[in-house]
Amino acid sequence: MSELEYKIPSHVAIILDGNGRWATSRGLKRSMGHKAGFENLKSLSDYIFKKGVKTLSVFAFSTENFKRDKEEVDYLMDLLVKKIKQLINKKNNVKIVFSGRRTGLRDDVLSAINEIEELTKDNTEHIFNVCFNYGGRADIVDAARKIAADYKNNLIDLDTLDEDKFNSYLYNNIPNIDLLIRTSGECRISNFILFQSAYAEMYFPKILFPDFKEKDFDEAIEVYNKRDRRFGGIKK
Ligand code: IPE
Ligand code: IPE
Ligand code: MG
């Protein structure tokens, strides 16, 4: 199939998995896998936006990841504080947003998140949605709480509450996911974006995230192009 015939998914979501195994298989500490994963994310995200993907969501830290050793959690928090600005590429006009609970995060982590959102808020070409301290169920529960609060304050008419309106109450009003990739071979969602993945095409390459490169993304697009998306209908 030539490049021109490709359908490029508008919203791609990636569960960045396998950093720990990448490191331990090399006799390294798990944190070195997170470092390698972050370096890969910088170049890969740039490539994905250049391919024409409008929205990219990534799962970088789940609420459940707080169960890990303090050393690993601290490393991931420090990585965000020290390096997150490296995701800004002046040329590609990307608005960076964070999805997840803001409670329970260190002050310096919150400052880094607020700063990068502020720095990129006027960018219009692409959205880079970083899911951090994120849980798909918490996203839905927190939206329900916001709706209940708005109802109490007469700010919402429940007759107008449809799926699009509900979506606007989630952490970020991002569109439906077209292609969901989870690296490392695990075939599960692990509480990643639930509401907007209702009709996502799923792809589970065995490659560990630090090794998931441009050619592997191209392969994902190729697989996506072979899928028959019916959304419950029947193909004419
Ligand atoms: C994904 O890699 C990154 C985070 C969860 C932060 P893992 O750390 O889960 O790597 P594996 O699955 O243990 O190999
Ligand atoms: C999901 O991966 C979370 C992220 C990639 C950030 P995990 O490695 O935490 O998920 P499980 O434990 O394998 O389900
Ligand atoms: Mg994992």
Side-chain angles (χ1 to χ4, degrees):
M1 203 184 283
S2 82
E3 183 96 1
L4 281 175
E5 292 162 347
Y6 271 180
K7 285 195 293 285
I8 298 293
S10 175
H11 183 182
V12 172
I14 309 179
I15 301 175
L16 313 170
D17 200 17
N19 292 349
R21 278 164 280 172
W22 183 92
T24 43
S25 71
R26 285 166 174 73
L28 300 169
K29 285 177 111 171
R30 290 179 56 85
S31 52
M32 291 303 100
H34 297 312
K35 184 168 183 245
F38 182 79
E39 292 305 319
N40 191 42
L41 182 63
K42 275 198 289 183
S43 49
L44 186 70
S45 57
D46 214 25
Y47 180 72
I48 290 173
F49 289 129
K50 284 205 184 95
K51 280 231 125 176
V53 170
K54 174 91 185 151
T55 306
L56 173 65
S57 292
V58 295
F59 204 6
F61 191 87
S62 74
T63 41
E64 293 79 17
N65 288 148
F66 274 114
K67 290 178 191 162
R68 297 186 181 192
D69 289 349
K70 185 174 183 306
E71 187 188 344
E72 183 172 350
V73 171
D74 284 348
Y75 186 89
L76 286 160
M77 298 296 150
D78 291 344
L79 190 67
L80 186 144
V81 171
K82 290 188 193 134
K83 298 207 171 175
I84 197 73
K85 271 203 214 150
Q86 296 179 12
L87 290 182
I88 302 177
N89 177 328
K90 294 263 181 304
K91 277 172 280 167
N92 59 13
N93 197 14
V94 178
K95 178 174 170 171
I96 300 178
V97 298
F98 284 80
S99 293
R101 280 205 174 132
R102 302 283 165 117
T103 47
L105 290 175
R106 281 169 15 193
D107 285 348
D108 58 343
V109 172
L110 286 174
S111 303
I113 287 175
N114 290 335
E115 189 185 358
I116 200 165
E117 286 191 331
E118 181 63 26
L119 280 170
T120 62
K121 71 177 187 326
D122 296 324
N123 294 348
T124 52
E125 200 71 37
H126 305 275
I127 294 168
F128 195 166
N129 173 37
V130 180
C131 297
F132 198 88
N133 196 21
Y134 180 85
R137 287 179 173 173
D139 197 355
I140 293 169
V141 169
D142 288 354
R145 284 171 181 268
K146 283 182 236 164
I147 291 166
D150 275 3
Y151 180 69
K152 213 164 128 191
N153 296 315
N154 282 321
L155 293 170
I156 184 172
D157 171 1
L158 286 189
D159 290 337
T160 66
L161 184 63
D162 57 10
E163 292 176 8
D164 285 343
K165 182 103 178 171
F166 191 93
N167 203 80
S168 73
Y169 278 91
L170 294 166
Y171 293 133
N172 281 292
N173 193 8
I174 52 158
N176 289 322
I177 296 168
D178 298 300
L179 172 63
L180 193 154
I181 300 170
R182 179 174 187 151
T183 55
S184 89
E186 308 296 353
C187 301
R188 56 178 173 260
I189 299 278
S190 299
N191 202 16
F192 191 35
I193 299 173
L194 298 174
F195 194 78
Q196 294 106 334
S197 65
Y199 271 100
E201 291 298 328
M202 311 263 178
Y203 179 60
F204 300 109
K206 291 206 164 61
I207 307 160
L208 304 174
F209 183 69
D211 291 330
F212 188 82
K213 302 292 179 188
E214 296 178 358
K215 67 167 179 27
D216 305 303
F217 182 75
D218 287 344
E219 201 171 314
I221 298 293
E222 212 154 305
V223 169
Y224 174 79
N225 272 270
K226 289 186 188 128
R227 299 278 174 89
D228 180 15
R229 302 188 79 191
R230 293 188 292 274
F231 300 97
I234 294 162
K235 208 172 178 197
K236 296 264 156 39

